[in-house]
Amino acid sequence: DERACDSVPFYGETTTLQRRWTALNAWRSVTARLATPAHVVLLLGMGLLAVLATASPGDRELPGVGRDGLRGIGGPDGAGRGRKILPTLTITLRPRTQPTAGVAVIYELTGQVARNVQSLGMAPSTASTRGIDAVRYLLVRDAQGLIDVDPHPKAGRFHLERKVVGDRLRVSYLAESSAVPSRLDLQVNADELSGVGYGFLALPEIDGRLAVRLQWELGAVDTPTAATSFGTGKDVVTVATPLQLAHSLYLAGSIQEAKGERGNRLIVLGTPAFDLEPALELCSAALAGARRLFDPADGQPFSFVFVPRRGLGTHYDGAALHNG
């Protein structure tokens, strides 16, 4: 059987399993001659580390991404053979104030999963958010060129008029800022930006996790830095699903941050009139109490985000999002 022969080593060739077994037998013969149990434990530990080192070379990988077989955010790498390779999604956000306040959204989805995209999902237009009505100049491209999009989106979906060709899908559009104060809609001015993802992100409607890179370009506004539910800074790498990206918060401006012992964070847009550390302790204690009642197994880090908005009236309550 040719398939069986492929799995048998040539004459004189030593298999990886045989090499490891020989190494372990050698350590046994050495430790059998030693007098004290401490020497036995020490040498066995050193031998085990040597075997593990030969079995798992220590490639330097991005935290949270490398364990899924992706060595870099640019795309799959040949060194990830035998491990799951995540598709990549690179999102660039460019806030602007002229001629219309809003944010330019440009993203590229890379991987075979791009071929399965049939629509882009977003919040439908409601009384509390403009949603899909905020999108202008939508362009969708693949290896074959522009893809026509249904000019009459329904139920929060932009349907593509044909199948995606190739393993790369590029989407660009402008999401306009809301003209009235809103706790969910995208709000953009020269000093700051805030919004919930599903109010301005039209993302591919696909299942599964993606290796995601979130990049901010803040040259057109006077905002020093940015933050999301996935981290603070202008360039953040994470692993998330499109649904989790939509159910997250996005901020740019003067951002204050405090970090707790278990990964909890308090993020405030602007300059707060209170001390961040005791406020974070209070919020974390409240969260711990709620988790004990409803979900004791949930120990994931949580982000508490405060965004001041004038003119909201009685609409001062928040939004429970993916992890913040």
Side-chain angles (χ1 to χ4, degrees), residues 9-83:
F10 291 108
Y11 176 76
E13 182 182 3
T14 304
T15 65
T16 302
L17 182 60
Q18 288 170 336
R19 288 195 300 269
R20 295 178 192 168
W21 182 252
T22 302
L24 287 175
N25 281 335
W27 282 113
R28 287 175 181 170
S29 64
V30 172
T31 54
R33 302 174 185 176
L34 296 176
T36 63
H39 289 151
V40 175
V41 174
L42 177 60
L43 288 175
L44 281 177
M46 293 171 62
L48 180 59
L49 287 174
V51 172
L52 291 176
T54 59
S56 303
D59 293 337
R60 188 174 183 271
E61 296 172 333
L62 293 173
V65 179
R67 64 171 177 262
D68 296 287
L70 192 69
R71 298 190 62 214
I73 200 68
D77 188 287
R81 287 176 295 178
R83 296 178 294 174

Side-chain angles (χ1 to χ4, degrees), residues 9-300:
F10 291 108
Y11 176 76
E13 182 182 3
T14 304
T15 65
T16 302
L17 182 60
Q18 288 170 336
R19 288 195 300 269
R20 295 178 192 168
W21 182 252
T22 302
L24 287 175
N25 281 335
W27 282 113
R28 287 175 181 170
S29 64
V30 172
T31 54
R33 302 174 185 176
L34 296 176
T36 63
H39 289 151
V40 175
V41 174
L42 177 60
L43 288 175
L44 281 177
M46 293 171 62
L48 180 59
L49 287 174
V51 172
L52 291 176
T54 59
S56 303
D59 293 337
R60 188 174 183 271
E61 296 172 333
L62 293 173
V65 179
R67 64 171 177 262
D68 296 287
L70 192 69
R71 298 190 62 214
I73 200 68
D77 188 287
R81 287 176 295 178
R83 296 178 294 174
K84 183 179 180 181
I85 304 297
L86 291 179
T88 64
L89 179 65
T90 302
I91 303 177
T92 301
L93 301 175
R94 296 176 183 167
R96 69 175 209 178
T97 57
Q98 297 294 333
T100 303
V103 59
V105 180
I106 306 100
Y107 66 79
E108 184 171 89
L109 176 65
T110 304
Q112 292 185 0
V113 70
R115 305 177 186 180
N116 301 328
V117 178
Q118 299 179 355
S119 59
L120 310 179
M122 192 174 177
S125 301
T126 64
S128 60
T129 177
R130 295 185 65 196
I132 208 165
D133 287 345
V135 174
R136 299 287 184 271
Y137 317 116
L138 175 63
L139 294 175
V140 182
R141 301 179 179 88
D142 63 1
Q144 201 170 21
L146 285 174
I147 301 178
D148 290 334
V149 180
D150 187 350
H152 304 291
K154 299 177 182 178
R157 289 183 176 87
F158 292 101
H159 288 279
L160 308 187
E161 296 291 293
R162 64 171 175 83
K163 290 185 177 181
V164 175
V165 177
D167 294 344
R168 289 181 181 270
L169 181 69
R170 183 177 176 84
V171 177
S172 62
Y173 59 90
L174 172 68
E176 292 184 340
S177 173
S178 176
V180 297
S182 170
R183 60 192 175 96
L184 299 178
D185 243 340
L186 177 67
Q187 302 279 306
V188 181
N189 57 48
D191 299 321
E192 59 188 35
L193 171 151
S194 68
V196 178
Y198 58 71
F200 70 95
L201 290 179
L203 296 171
E205 290 193 305
I206 53 176
D207 294 327
R209 303 190 308 161
L210 306 171
V212 181
R213 187 169 199 165
L214 294 166
Q215 298 176 311
W216 293 81
E217 295 184 1
L218 303 176
V221 291
D222 299 327
T223 56
T225 189
T228 70
S229 299
F230 304 99
T232 303
K234 298 180 183 179
D235 196 337
V236 175
V237 175
T238 187
V239 174
T241 65
L243 184 60
Q244 290 171 343
L245 291 171
H247 283 219
S248 296
L249 195 64
Y250 298 79
L251 305 171
S254 178
I255 294 173
Q256 315 300 321
E257 181 181 21
K259 297 182 180 180
E261 296 180 355
R262 299 185 178 181
N264 291 344
R265 301 184 303 159
L266 171 62
I267 298 174
V268 180
L269 184 62
T271 303
F274 54 87
D275 293 331
L276 268 63
E277 285 73 15
L280 176 58
E281 292 178 3
L282 177 63
C283 292
S284 297
L287 174 65
R291 282 176 168 172
R292 282 195 296 270
L293 288 175
F294 301 106
D295 194 358
D298 186 2
Q300 296 297 315

